[in-house]
Amino acid sequence: MTESWANPPAEPGPALGTGQGLGADLHLELRGSGLRAGIMDALREAVRTGRLAPGTRLPSSRTLAADLGISRNTVADAYAELVAEGWLTARQGSGTRVARRAAPRRPAAAAPRTRPARVGAAYSLLPGSPDLGAFPRGQWLTAARRALTAAPNEAFGYGDAYGRIELRTVLADYLARARGVYAGPERIVICAGFVHGLTLLGTVLRARRVRSVAVESYGLDQHRNLLTEAGMRTPALPLDERGTRTEGLADARDVGAVLMTPAHQFPTGVALHPDRRAAAVDWARGTDGLILEDDYDGEFRYDRQPVGALQGLDPERVVYLGTASKSLAPGLRLGWMVLPEELVGEVAETKGEADRASSVLDQLTLAQFIASGAYDRHVRSMRLRYRRRRDQLVAALAERAPGIRVTGIAAGLHAVVELPPGTERPVIEAAAWQGLGLEGLARFRHPSAPSGRDALVVGYATPTDSAWAGALDALCRVLP
């Protein structure tokens, strides 16, 4: 607080916000030649700039006076004059509030000149997100209450870089049972999602003098960029109908690791063939290399048993990365790495002594959510829900666009909709004009990979139930 008084109090009062009274804290910068004028000027400025929104309840005159260390009458007089000017309102039983004045006009942002104005996206079929409206709020709240009740006092400290032992313990059991992962709690480090985990691994790999990390020729550029920013090259491995061509690793130069989505390649949707799984593990064993396995939606397999994690073939050569982003919601910022024994300490040290990434309460809640069986029930429920969405997508396209082929549908939350050559960009632009968000397959192609087929990557999990029919109808309208 900035104070300048003509006649300052004998003993300066505490800074505002110390909470001496029982009302809300209020930060004001007081300037001027007197107490009453300083309060009035500061309140006018806070209202004028919008920092105090219309309807905001101010502290009582007694509370504000106690916080300032001045006379209550001074504050009351300032409030009364601002009420008379129309800045504040005061009603019996409602206290003193900011008047509901018209908001000050702000200059409109200039429209971008490089692209025409378009209708806002009424529907989204973008991949990468679950149905956020299906988040199990009630069950999560129950788990949070139980976790909060049972949490020891020390749980609310800074924590360690490994993450809460309660979560690591239940994750070890769940991943072994559901994904075929060889995982003890001591091998698991909690992180704030896949990007955070990959960032930590990039730092560790660079410290180990890894020069290149091979990636799949289709994938997220954000992941490639993280590795590039860590100082490593990202050569691309080609893809075909059997998944990533891992036999090419044998001829790769300076590659110390490979980033893969073996259970359900993103975005093409292909599961890695067993022979190529074996080839990747053989390469890692023979070169002392590492496989970074992104199991981003491994629980959602529809036509047969889920493909087990690659990590189970060799836990000392594969880093398994999973998150709650697709199974629950990305906003939880909860992920986990199951690490080879020799990497655990390096990753934890890179993360730091204190766990500053994921909320302790969220970790404890997820642990309770899994241990109670609620997580399994939710995944099974969503598996049925997403399978119905997938079937409805396939049926709608078969009826309204019979020449269009749909692939990559055995698992996951998206499908690949094949298009005639040269039509991918026009279809996406037509969809945008109609308020439909779509991504093309080309969006995910590695810069060094040759141009491939035209296709859409359709995220059928994203729309809410109420928006699903409209999104599906909009998609069918824009297809050639």
Side-chain angles (χ1 to χ4, degrees), residues 152-286:
N153 292 339
E154 56 85 17
F156 299 100
Y158 289 104
D160 63 54
Y162 293 86
R164 289 300 302 178
I165 185 61
E166 296 91 339
L167 179 55
R168 291 188 286 125
T169 299
V170 298
L171 275 175
D173 292 340
Y174 172 79
L175 294 173
R177 168 173 55 82
R179 301 297 300 126
V181 172
Y182 179 85
E186 71 283 353
R187 286 177 174 259
I188 297 177
V189 173
I190 303 300
C191 54
F194 180 83
V195 167
H196 181 219
L198 185 61
T199 300
L200 295 172
L201 290 168
T203 301
V204 169
L205 290 173
R206 186 58 184 166
R208 287 179 158 228
R209 301 187 182 280
V210 171
R211 298 180 179 179
S212 299
V213 177
V215 298
E216 296 166 318
S217 57
Y218 283 83
L220 289 172
D221 55 1
Q222 181 184 18
H223 299 167
R224 296 193 298 267
N225 292 341
L226 284 174
L227 296 170
T228 301
E229 289 166 5
M232 291 169 287
R233 295 186 295 273
T234 56
L237 296 174
L239 283 163
D240 59 25
E241 67 280 357
R242 300 204 303 170
T244 303
R245 297 183 60 177
T246 54
E247 65 272 16
L249 286 168
D251 300 323
R253 298 181 58 186
D254 297 327
V255 170
V258 57
L259 173 62
M260 302 174 63
T261 51
H264 186 234
Q265 204 282 324
F266 185 86
T268 65
V270 181
L272 188 61
H273 190 276
D275 290 346
R276 293 184 176 177
R277 287 178 158 236
V281 172
D282 288 344
W283 165 82
R285 289 171 177 168

Side-chain angles (χ1 to χ4, degrees), residues 33-383:
S33 59
L35 295 174
R36 185 169 63 85
I39 294 171
M40 292 173 61
D41 288 345
L43 283 170
R44 288 192 194 100
E45 182 67 12
V47 174
R48 185 183 297 112
T49 59
R51 188 167 66 81
L52 289 180
T56 299
R57 184 167 182 169
L58 301 182
S60 69
S61 57
R62 184 187 303 276
T63 297
L64 187 55
D67 282 345
L68 280 170
I70 62 177
S71 163
R72 179 185 178 187
N73 287 340
T74 301
V75 177
D77 288 347
Y79 277 4
E81 190 161 341
L82 290 173
V83 168
E85 292 178 2
W87 292 95
L88 306 179
T89 62
R91 294 181 181 177
Q92 186 70 30
S94 181
T96 303
R97 296 179 181 270
V98 175
R100 298 193 177 278
R101 302 162 60 88
R105 292 188 178 184
R106 298 182 180 181
R113 298 181 181 179
T114 56
R115 54 190 303 184
R118 295 186 179 183
V119 180
Y123 303 109
S124 173
L125 290 173
L126 300 176
S129 176
D131 180 355
L132 301 180
F135 182 79
R137 299 173 188 239
Q139 297 94 318
W140 186 261
L141 182 59
T142 297
R145 286 171 174 161
R146 290 175 177 170
L148 189 58
T149 300
N153 292 339
E154 56 85 17
F156 299 100
Y158 289 104
D160 63 54
Y162 293 86
R164 289 300 302 178
I165 185 61
E166 296 91 339
L167 179 55
R168 291 188 286 125
T169 299
V170 298
L171 275 175
D173 292 340
Y174 172 79
L175 294 173
R177 168 173 55 82
R179 301 297 300 126
V181 172
Y182 179 85
E186 71 283 353
R187 286 177 174 259
I188 297 177
V189 173
I190 303 300
C191 54
F194 180 83
V195 167
H196 181 219
L198 185 61
T199 300
L200 295 172
L201 290 168
T203 301
V204 169
L205 290 173
R206 186 58 184 166
R208 287 179 158 228
R209 301 187 182 280
V210 171
R211 298 180 179 179
S212 299
V213 177
V215 298
E216 296 166 318
S217 57
Y218 283 83
L220 289 172
D221 55 1
Q222 181 184 18
H223 299 167
R224 296 193 298 267
N225 292 341
L226 284 174
L227 296 170
T228 301
E229 289 166 5
M232 291 169 287
R233 295 186 295 273
T234 56
L237 296 174
L239 283 163
D240 59 25
E241 67 280 357
R242 300 204 303 170
T244 303
R245 297 183 60 177
T246 54
E247 65 272 16
L249 286 168
D251 300 323
R253 298 181 58 186
D254 297 327
V255 170
V258 57
L259 173 62
M260 302 174 63
T261 51
H264 186 234
Q265 204 282 324
F266 185 86
T268 65
V270 181
L272 188 61
H273 190 276
D275 290 346
R276 293 184 176 177
R277 287 178 158 236
V281 172
D282 288 344
W283 165 82
R285 289 171 177 168
T287 63
D288 197 28
L290 286 170
I291 300 170
L292 311 182
E293 179 179 13
D294 179 4
D295 193 33
Y296 67 99
D297 63 1
E299 292 99 339
F300 297 113
R301 188 112 193 146
Y302 308 123
D303 298 328
R304 55 181 184 273
Q305 284 294 106
V307 177
L310 183 64
Q311 190 263 7
L313 295 180
D314 195 334
E316 300 306 328
R317 300 263 58 93
V318 181
V319 176
Y320 176 91
L321 296 105
T323 77
S325 296
K326 305 298 185 292
S327 57
L328 286 168
L332 291 177
R333 309 313 310 139
L334 283 171
W336 42 88
M337 293 176 279
V338 184
L339 299 156
E341 186 175 354
E342 67 173 3
L343 276 185
V344 176
E346 292 178 52
V347 171
E349 183 179 356
T350 300
K351 189 181 174 189
E353 293 182 1
D355 188 353
R356 300 183 181 91
S358 300
S359 160
V360 166
L361 181 55
D362 286 342
Q363 292 184 55
L364 293 173
T365 301
L366 180 58
Q368 176 63 230
F369 195 72
I370 296 172
S372 69
Y375 186 79
D376 280 280
R377 291 191 295 272
H378 176 71
V379 167
R380 284 196 297 269
S381 172
M382 297 310 296
R383 191 181 294 136

Side-chain angles (χ1 to χ4, degrees), residues 394-406 418 476 479-480:
V394 172
L397 294 180
E399 178 184 354
R400 299 178 58 180
I404 298 293
R405 190 167 71 101
V406 187
E418 306 284 349
C476 292
L479 291 175

